Amino acid sequence: MVGGGQLARMTHEAGIPLGIGFRLLSDTPQDSAAKVVNEVVVGDYRDLDTLRAFARGCDVITFDHEHVPTGHLLTLQEEGLTVRPGPHALVYAQDKGRMRARLTELGVPCPRHRLVADPADVERFATREAGGFPVVLKTVRGGYDGKGVWVVGSAAEAAEPFKAGVPVLAEEKVDFARELAANVVRSPHGQAVAYPVVESVQVAGVCDTVIAPAPGLAPELALAAQELALRVAKELDVVGHLAVELFETRDGRVLVNELAMRPHNSGHWTQDGAVTSQFANHLRAVLDLPLGDPRPRAPWTVMANVLGGDFPDMYPAYLHCMARDPQLKIHMYAKDVKPGRKVGHVTTYGEDLAEVRERARHAADYLRGVIDE
Amino acid sequence: MVGGGQLARMTHEAGIPLGIGFRLLSDTPQDSAAKVVNEVVVGDYRDLDTLRAFARGCDVITFDHEHVPTGHLLTLQEEGLTVRPGPHALVYAQDKGRMRARLTELGVPCPRHRLVADPADVERFATREAGGFPVVLKTVRGGYDGKGVWVVGSAAEAAEPFKAGVPVLAEEKVDFARELAANVVRSPHGQAVAYPVVESVQVAGVCDTVIAPAPGLAPELALAAQELALRVAKELDVVGHLAVELFETRDGRVLVNELAMRPHNSGHWTQDGAVTSQFANHLRAVLDLPLGDPRPRAPWTVMANVLGGDFPDMYPAYLHCMARDPQLKIHMYAKDVKPGRKVGHVTTYGEDLAEVRERARHAADYLRGVIDE
């Protein structure tokens, strides 16, 4: 797996019972995953020779993030290495402009959008196509967790996104009721499974809480979202986990927000809440093993991200949360605490959503240090 | 953790979400756990200097097996290292003679037993104390999985156990109805949790299947077994996981068979079947973290060991089992397949015991190669 973040850490964890040999390409020996994996290669994923040396002897190459240059992956593939998801699919998770173009071609509902050239062009898009300001601007490559995304209220505010010299995509700002995610996993010969559609609560552009399944979601809309995600996976020839982030509009439709072709924050609840976790199924898919059952194990599962707060030492809070709630499942990433950085998550499950949600919320807030009782 | 077997492998797996730094002392770099842990020291646990160098910088030392010399552990402790369980407790899992003496002193029910000097002494024990042959002979140290244990029908058959030059314990052969295990976890300040009492089905001295909870066990006997295990943990000052293997007699009593002070095969079901696994709770205990909920997540969970069969390549069977039963949980140890060797286990869970048991049995038999349909 290329990338040493928490997704690789948790994928390795899921690979241990499967008996899978796991090799990691990590930026540093201190990355989250590098601390727990036996076979770690430290190097730069942007360097083709590093990638090539890392990949030699691997049955399959997969990813913790989407930042590996598409051209390098095409080269590896031409040299006979197995890359999953393949670069022809992954490019749609790497480049938001190509993603929007392809989904629109497939008739998949998306926010109104267009590549824009400059602030004046943003103004034209806003007034003629998007029903007015505010609109959303995104660099087509390199963004995550709200980075590379701007909500602008006028052409005057639209200068910043163009400074990076990367193409900029403009999108209407959807007046959504809430955000959902439809997560599916697909294997090379086309077997696929769909997890229950979840609600994803975002705070300041960062995923805060995920509720599985999405409360009160109309069954026909849940089914439509799963079918949409399965269709996208098939049409783009995705292999592995595909997260389709969705807007649920106030008039009962879903629009695609983002795609991710790797384990995803909206699927962390599956570690404790589903028969087979997203991490195990991602591995099973990229290794062309039969997929595991995606069904939930409890009526409700809630995942809350633990963000770094003002206190670098989380140990006292960690003790408190374990003592307070013996059923709490804590997942720490062994990352240095920095304010706002994702350093772990907690999951809770049970029959009463309000209680399950409150337990997760309390633990995440206590670990962050925003409450102390 | 000292020892690179599958117990260490699965303890590391459980430590990843807890954010725990895990260092391993392994006989070889190819041991089951050594393949998945980042920080591996290869060396001989019987050598004090190796142990000392390994332990330096660890917050706590714990074990995958009970073979580390007690004297070495006392030395490490005297030198200021934290050893859990401590050698004063661990000695009762290392030396069956001392275990029997101490449990008897505590009034804990055990089979009739006595250290014996030679075959003539075995004859005296059998006829005067145990109600006749057959009796069970055990070397007091070094046995596991039926090794170091003999069932003898006469003094003439009793020569073998004395050849190792290790003290030999004689025990009555209990006419038991079945074998049970009461698993508890205890932390340094005395917090303890008890898992449901399980039935352990042995074949040729090796654990074959574990059923959680033990079917049809009288609630008062289950409670008595849990209380017994908690009392043994407290009286021996065990820290970490304690497995108390029990005989359920035909007249409705329990007698202690063996003790293990580490994660144990009779607790593997907890990985998929309990809120907190034995591995996570062992780590929480030895690190003096609050313990996790030991309750089951399903009405029935069954664990079946996968033994090596005649076919070294298990991959086709592994594919078949995943495809046949998407709910099956497979745990492979990445060990070379040798006939009779434990190379993995499977767990299944659900509401119908017969169906749950059949699924586990089928998968274990298919992986071993004794069935092919």
Side-chain angles (χ1 to χ4, degrees), chain B residues 225-309:
Chain B
Q226 288 180 312
E227 285 173 346
L228 183 158
L230 288 168
R231 181 160 168 252
V232 169
K234 183 183 176 185
E235 293 288 354
L236 304 188
D237 193 27
V238 177
V239 171
H241 188 267
L242 170 70
V244 181
E245 295 185 84
L246 298 162
F247 296 123
E248 182 182 4
T249 64
R250 298 192 189 277
D251 58 355
R253 294 172 301 132
V254 290
L255 303 177
V256 173
N257 180 17
E258 304 274 1
L259 302 183
M261 295 179 196
R262 50 167 170 78
H264 188 257
N265 203 162
S266 63
H268 289 359
W269 70 274
T270 60
Q271 291 177 303
D272 303 303
V275 175
T276 313
S277 79
Q278 65 164 349
F279 300 102
N281 260 340
H282 181 73
L283 282 173
R284 287 164 77 146
V286 301
L287 291 163
D288 204 9
L289 299 168
L291 300 179
D293 190 332
R295 280 178 292 184
R297 288 196 68 174
W300 298 104
T301 303
V302 173
M303 187 286 317
N305 279 325
V306 178
L307 301 184

Side-chain angles (χ1 to χ4, degrees), chain B residues 335-367:
Chain B
K335 290 160 79 168
D336 290 338
V337 173
K338 292 178 189 169
R341 186 186 206 189
K342 288 179 188 170
V343 295
H345 67 270
V346 294
T347 64
T348 52
Y349 53 82
E351 309 213 337
D352 178 339
L353 176 58
E355 180 248 326
V356 170
R357 192 169 179 175
E358 167 52 27
R359 286 168 48 219
R361 187 69 267 142
H362 183 278
D365 285 349
Y366 201 99
L367 286 162

Side-chain angles (χ1 to χ4, degrees), chain A residues 213-227:
Chain A
L217 183 63
E220 58 277 13
L221 197 57
L223 189 61
Q226 289 181 312
E227 285 174 346

Side-chain angles (χ1 to χ4, degrees), chain A residues 9 12 16-18 34-38 272 275 289 293 295 297 318-319 326-327 329-332 349, chain B residues 9 12 16-18 34-38 272 275 289 293 295 297 318-319 326-327 329-332:
Chain A
R9 181 182 176 96
H12 174 54
I16 292 174
L18 294 170
K35 291 177 179 170
V36 297
V37 169
N38 182 260
D272 303 302
V275 175
L289 299 168
D293 191 333
R295 280 178 292 182
R297 287 196 69 174
Y318 170 86
L319 285 180
Q327 291 170 55
K329 307 307 286 183
I330 294 183
H331 299 263
M332 300 305 292
Y349 52 82
Chain B
R9 180 183 177 93
H12 174 56
I16 293 174
L18 294 171
K35 291 177 179 170
V36 297
V37 170
N38 181 261
D272 303 303
V275 175
L289 299 168
D293 190 332
R295 280 178 292 184
R297 288 196 68 174
Y318 170 85
L319 285 180
Q327 292 170 55
K329 306 307 286 182
I330 295 184
H331 299 263
M332 301 304 291

